[in-house]
Amino acid sequence: MKRILLGLIVCFCTLAATVLEARPPQERDEMNAKIEQFLSEAEEAINKVDFDEAHNLLNTALDLSRSIDHQRYIALSSSILGQLYYVRHDYEKAATEIQRAVAIQRKIEDKSGLAYSYINYAKVFMAEGNFDRANEYLLLAEELYTGLDEKESLGLVTLNRGILAVNVERNPSKALEFFEQADNVLHQS
């Protein structure tokens, strides 16, 4: 009986994988383009403080990503959703979404996405007053971006270090040094 059940599970998993792969490449490309569009529009909506629209777009992107089992887009959708919750001061939900993104990004070895999520996670910890954890995540992001040679992203890490210097150390001159360093890095990239 156990062998029959195991055989049925294996057959079901194989069938499910076949159905996912059976989609024509053009259809998958179209879905990917739609997801990218929804994510881009969601980020614009966040910047315009249209949170309801951003939330709807992110949920749509997340649903589409799940429907084609595109792990990178699932993670990116979750990370941006975490950013939305952070901006809305819902730090618990922000942390949950970012944790989901981090878990997927580690699994698929998406180093750039992981570093982006680490910066978002550091911001959540800063907002909650947990500056040691914020610094840990900024160090992780810096390590990944250094390995990827993403200078512009390293500038964002440095900028956030400046924010930490202001909020934790209450050292405006040190913060100014970080801000100037970030400005130089961003102008060179």
Side-chain angles (χ1 to χ4, degrees):
M1 182 68 174
K2 289 182 181 178
R3 288 185 182 175
I4 293 172
L5 183 59
L6 181 60
L8 286 173
I9 291 172
V10 169
C11 287
F12 176 75
C13 290
T14 304
L15 178 63
T18 304
V19 168
L20 283 175
E21 292 300 316
R23 291 181 188 230
Q26 182 180 0
E27 184 180 333
R28 288 184 68 84
D29 291 345
E30 289 172 6
M31 292 286 277
N32 289 342
K34 285 181 185 178
I35 293 167
E36 287 180 12
Q37 179 183 352
F38 287 131
L39 292 173
S40 176
E41 289 175 8
E43 285 187 309
E44 287 178 29
I46 291 170
N47 292 337
K48 293 178 183 175
V49 194
D50 189 353
F51 298 136
D52 291 333
E53 178 67 11
H55 195 261
N56 290 335
L57 290 164
L58 287 168
N59 282 333
T60 302
L62 190 55
D63 289 343
L64 281 174
S65 300
R66 286 181 176 148
S67 75
I68 61 171
D69 195 34
H70 197 298
Q71 294 297 301
R72 190 173 67 80
Y73 283 142
I74 292 170
L76 185 57
S77 299
S78 293
S79 188
I80 296 171
L81 197 53
Q83 190 178 17
L84 172 66
Y85 287 129
Y86 162 77
V87 170
R88 296 184 86 168
H89 304 282
D90 192 341
Y91 304 127
E92 187 176 326
K93 285 184 181 177
T96 299
E97 291 298 331
I98 294 168
Q99 287 168 356
R100 178 181 304 133
V102 165
I104 294 169
Q105 289 160 335
R106 284 180 178 157
K107 180 180 174 184
I108 64 172
E109 299 180 9
D110 177 9
K111 292 180 181 181
S112 183
L114 184 58
Y116 175 79
S117 292
Y118 284 161
I119 290 174
N120 285 336
Y121 214 13
K123 289 178 183 179
V124 171
F125 284 123
M126 277 190 253
E128 292 179 326
N130 191 341
F131 301 116
D132 290 337
R133 292 286 306 272
N135 192 48
E136 288 174 28
Y137 279 94
L138 288 175
L139 285 170
L140 290 169
E142 181 178 43
E143 183 180 311
L144 288 170
Y145 283 139
T146 299
L148 296 168
D149 197 32
E150 291 188 20
K151 301 227 185 297
E152 184 174 323
S153 299
L154 282 168
L156 294 175
V157 172
T158 306
L159 182 65
N160 280 283
R161 286 196 189 291
I163 293 168
L164 268 177
V166 167
N167 290 332
V168 177
E169 299 173 29
R170 305 279 187 226
N171 187 339
S173 60
K174 185 175 181 180
L176 185 60
E177 287 176 30
F178 280 122
F179 296 148
E180 288 172 349
Q181 184 182 356
D183 186 49
N184 288 335
V185 169
L186 293 171
H187 277 95
Q188 291 174 0
S189 60

